[in-house]
Amino acid sequence: MPANAYLAFDRTMRTVERWLATQHVPDYGAGAEAVRERLAQRIVELALPPFLRSWPTRDCGTATGAIDRGPVHVRAESGHTRLGPACFARLLLEFGAHWGLAFAAIVKGFFARARTPPPVTLLFGVGDEGLFQRGSDSRFVEFCKNGPLRPLSQASRIVAQAATRAGTVSDARVSYARRPLLELARIVPLTAVGRLGLLARHLLAPLTFVAAVMRRPLLALLAPDLAVGHIARELHRRGFIEAVVITNTMYTSQPLWMRELARETGTLHMVWYSQNTIPFVYARDGVVADIPHNRHIRVNHHWVWTEGYRAYLEKLGIGRSVHVVGPILWYLPSREAVSGDGIQIAVFDVTPMNEAYAQKLGLIDNYYSAKNMFSFIRGVIALKAALETTLGRPVRVLLKHKRGYGAVHDAGYIDFIAQQSRPGGPLTLVPPDDDMYSMIAASALSIVAPYSSPAHVSAHLGIPAIFFDAPRMLDESFERGPLLDFASGEEALINKATRALAGSAVVAR
């Protein structure tokens, strides 16, 4: 079971942390403790997937907790950790790649158009679907200016990470780059002498890195950090970095330069754009666990949706400054709902990965498998038919995926949704970038795959929501609320949805 595997892995990692505490490491400007914490985080990041992949074949009665597959190898008794040869070579290449990109950014700065930017807030981890909607970033920019996230609303200027700039830019104070830190290094108004000094430090970085890993090979885990850390330090020293905002996309990794900034300025923020980050509790064993990465997160401030999630971060020991601001969708609530005829139900699934990709990630008993999501959709279709019979009125079911399809998603499920959402079919498929607020506000009820975040949007808007556990596998471990309910199986869904709709003003019209 996933929870058992997480607990076993975390026990091994605590042994590793005790071993790391005995090791002498350079402070790299962030402090020796921060370096050890970052090494532990990197070990978790690299070791967990192969550990999970091997878990189903482990003899739990005799397993020692050793990690002997994958990039890093750990001795169970001592926690001593070493890198596999292939991993070590790959990290050297990774350092070279990051260093080369940074070199190009510094050199391009000699020829960049002169500009004097105010301090810049660097934003990492917002998906392109959150930045651009139908060719424009205006919705995202409005959220930054007027939304509840103070580090963005108070930012002098923002450079946001984007894989591709997929539309027009509506405000000159917001720009986009694949690598925001390196983009800042390119555009900052350094004098020729200042830029030459930065280039000189950058040319020395490979020598420092090679010397460090020759003495202690495990420091190669810091390759991406050490390739650019000196650049971040210099930009911060000159006052060009106002704040750094990351999202929970980066829950596995906060580089050393971010930790150094956090220690010195207290301006490292993590925005949790999803509440669905707590492992399921399965009915067949009831074991409770946390994702092993989470207790290694190091930021100054968290921005979350609910008081319950604040309490969860505090329980993990990483919630010293948590700001509860309601749903974070990267756009502001609509001013009015657009409703159609009849009764409307909003449905939110989780598009399943294909089995090969799930195994690569080490997902054990993947709840969001194609099999379970087929059951979820079939249950929703059965609910539509039952409600139409009971209420004597048409029921419109809107289905919204979190994001568009990709190569990692299950092709059979995609085909099934296409069939069910054809004209005259039981489902109406809504584009992923459509306004969730207006969709839910115009609905009488939301049906949500456990424990996906749209249910909290629904409750926030005063619309009842039901977490639908179609395969009847889960214990009820969601954050309770007067408008949140749970249905285990199709029969329970029909009964609870019928009761929820009984007093709905939308149904009564």
Side-chain angles (χ1 to χ4, degrees), residues 336-342 344 396 398 438-439 441-444 506 509:
E336 59 183 40
V338 179
S339 60
D341 297 331
Q344 180 171 294
R396 187 177 186 223
L398 302 184
S438 63
M439 174 183 168
S443 301
V506 177
R509 282 204 297 265

Side-chain angles (χ1 to χ4, degrees), residues 97-148:
H98 284 274
W99 184 90
L101 291 167
F103 176 82
I106 295 170
V107 172
K108 287 178 182 177
F110 284 107
F111 310 101
R113 179 171 57 88
R115 62 181 80 180
T116 308
V120 170
T121 292
L122 303 177
L123 173 61
F124 297 83
V126 181
D128 284 357
E129 70 280 356
L131 301 175
F132 292 92
Q133 192 236 1
R134 298 176 187 174
S136 173
D137 72 344
S138 58
R139 192 171 72 166
F140 169 71
V141 169
E142 183 185 7
F143 175 82
C144 291
K145 289 180 179 177
N146 301 312

